[in-house]
Amino acid sequence: MEASSSARPPRSKVNLRTPEVMAHVQAEVEQHYRSELVERIRGNQGVYNSAKTTIRLAREFGFCYGVERAIDLAYAARKVFPDRHVYLLGEIIHNPDVNKQLAAMGIESIVSKPDSVALDSLTDEDVVIVPAFGAEVKTIAEIRQRGCQIVDTTCGDVMSVWRRVRQNAKDGITSIIHGKAQHEETRATASHALGDKGAGHYLIVLNLQETGIVCDYIRHGGDKAKFLAQFEGAYSGGFDPDLHLRKVGVANQTTMLRAETGEVQHHVQNAISERDGNVENFRFFDTICGATQDRQDALFHLLQEPLDLMIVVGGYNSSNTTHLVEISEQKLPTYFIQNAERLIDSNTIQHYDIHQKTEITEDKQWLHNKENLIVGITAGASCPNNLIEETILRLLDLRGDSVS
């Protein structure tokens, strides 16, 4: 059925979190993602000892509150609207196993970008779930126009960034966003950086190298055409570096490395200070997600322990998980796996290479034969405990150990 293009009155909100619904949801979620083994190890200060292997878990890993809330709401939407089409904008979180489970429940994933054919097919009988990353302003407007029931699972930390960048736009300040230009969260944040009237501006920088290019332009100016070509697809319409780098505020994708965002902020602040003689035209807010930081801090703490290797479990497109790999690989052999199936045998492992940006298969003795092997394990905020348990069990099996 084709949806009318005329705007419909907004639907009234439906309380999905009633005691009856949430009791059903909690039972399903625990069945799908809970791990008694992981809870037991956590209760033993994160250490599991077997005959030949020691497992050390980071103090903080796996699902954060925002992810748990998003999954709960998705399950609740399926429960409350059993006879309606329930759609999800893209992925609920960056974990393929979780998204596969939602698909098995009849929740259909559709393209999250505005003006897509998928959005054109929505009707006022449909339910649309906004993922934890949020969605672009124009996308939400299109869905509202079609009269859909919206279930918004956007993380509160993400919305905090949106408030900051909207204020920047209101104050005539360009938001320099430290993030990945094609990431759903960064696209959503960039759309909010345009402000309520659409007159704001943003520039997205991925890393310190790109930050250096921006800082050099702030200090000295330069070839505008070359600058815009370097950042193609990462700035707002009508962005002019000669005009819109006069007043800037640094924001970030909430799952970036805090230390790197801090350096981005420091470099931009210094550039403004050197150009103007003061920092009146600079603004910064610390908007790194608390759960992201907790997992990074916990990994730094774990890396102080004696370890032979590290396993990082999670979706390969998960930004916060990728940063855990970046931290760990500086200290010891680190393997980024999607799930336990990637542990083929003690000589063969499939893992994601964050530099080549592809999954690779290595045939080498990655799992040592030493008498007491110590393996560190952590996971990003989008990884459920059941996947961590399966990884532990597979490691012990490959070592000839068993769970007591």
Side-chain angles (χ1 to χ4, degrees), residues 195-296:
D196 297 334
K197 298 179 180 179
H201 287 282
Y202 65 82
L203 175 67
I204 302 168
V205 295
L206 175 62
N207 50 33
L208 293 177
Q209 179 183 0
E210 291 189 357
T211 302
I213 295 171
V214 174
C215 289
D216 187 63
Y217 203 98
I218 289 173
R219 289 186 177 96
H220 311 295
D223 186 329
K224 184 190 301 186
K226 180 180 178 181
F227 182 92
L228 293 175
Q230 288 174 310
F231 289 94
E232 184 177 1
Y235 54 79
S236 51
F239 177 82
D240 183 338
D242 292 334
L243 298 175
H244 301 124
L245 291 179
R246 299 305 304 172
K247 295 182 179 181
V248 299
V250 174
N252 58 274
Q253 182 181 317
T254 60
T255 53
M256 303 300 280
L257 281 169
R258 179 188 288 273
E260 187 175 37
T261 294
E263 287 197 59
V264 170
Q265 173 258 330
H266 178 70
H267 289 312
V268 175
Q269 182 180 36
N270 282 349
I272 294 291
S273 178
E274 289 179 28
R275 185 193 66 192
D276 299 344
N278 57 61
V279 291
E280 292 179 3
N281 291 321
F282 175 79
R283 178 182 289 176
F284 171 70
F285 298 104
D286 183 357
T287 50
I288 287 289
C289 160
T292 294
Q293 188 57 44
D294 289 344
R295 279 145 188 74
Q296 291 175 12

Side-chain angles (χ1 to χ4, degrees), residues 37 40-41 47-56 311 340 343 346 366-367 372-375 377 388-404:
L37 174 62
R40 196 153 34 112
I41 296 174
V47 179
Y48 182 84
N49 291 300
S50 62
K52 297 187 294 184
T53 313
T54 296
I55 303 292
R56 288 187 174 274
I311 300 290
L343 308 182
S346 59
W366 69 275
L367 194 58
N372 183 25
L373 184 72
I374 307 176
V375 181
I377 296 179
I388 298 167
E389 173 180 311
E390 291 166 8
T391 299
I392 294 171
L393 294 176
R394 180 59 179 159
L395 279 168
L396 294 177
D397 181 57
L398 292 177
R399 288 278 294 164
D401 280 335
S402 60
V403 176
S404 60

Side-chain angles (χ1 to χ4, degrees), residues 179-184 186-187 204 206 232-234 253:
K180 301 172 182 177
Q182 297 308 312
H183 191 284
E184 299 96 320
T186 298
R187 292 204 313 265
I204 302 168
L206 175 62
E232 184 177 1
Q253 182 181 317

Side-chain angles (χ1 to χ4, degrees), residues 29-85:
V29 169
E30 288 199 7
Q31 178 187 354
H32 291 157
Y33 307 120
R34 181 176 177 268
S35 165
E36 184 179 342
L37 174 62
V38 169
E39 290 175 9
R40 196 153 34 112
I41 296 174
R42 266 183 159 155
N44 192 44
Q45 299 183 323
V47 179
Y48 182 84
N49 291 300
S50 62
K52 297 187 294 184
T53 313
T54 296
I55 303 292
R56 288 187 174 274
L57 298 181
R59 291 184 299 186
E60 297 287 343
F61 61 85
F63 280 174
C64 64
Y65 170 76
V67 166
E68 288 179 345
R69 175 180 173 274
I71 291 173
D72 284 353
L73 286 172
Y75 275 62
R78 181 71 283 174
K79 171 68 175 174
V80 173
F81 305 108
D83 302 321
R84 289 164 65 176
H85 286 293

Side-chain angles (χ1 to χ4, degrees), residues 26 44 309 323:
Q26 194 59 43
N44 192 44
L309 61 97
H323 292 312

Side-chain angles (χ1 to χ4, degrees), residues 342-361:
R342 269 56 183 180
L343 308 182
I344 310 301
D345 55 45
S346 59
N347 292 314
T348 309
I349 184 171
Q350 291 177 323
H351 64 104
Y352 190 76
D353 187 309
I354 62 173
H355 307 289
Q356 298 182 43
K357 301 187 186 307
T358 188
E359 187 178 64
I360 61 175
T361 300

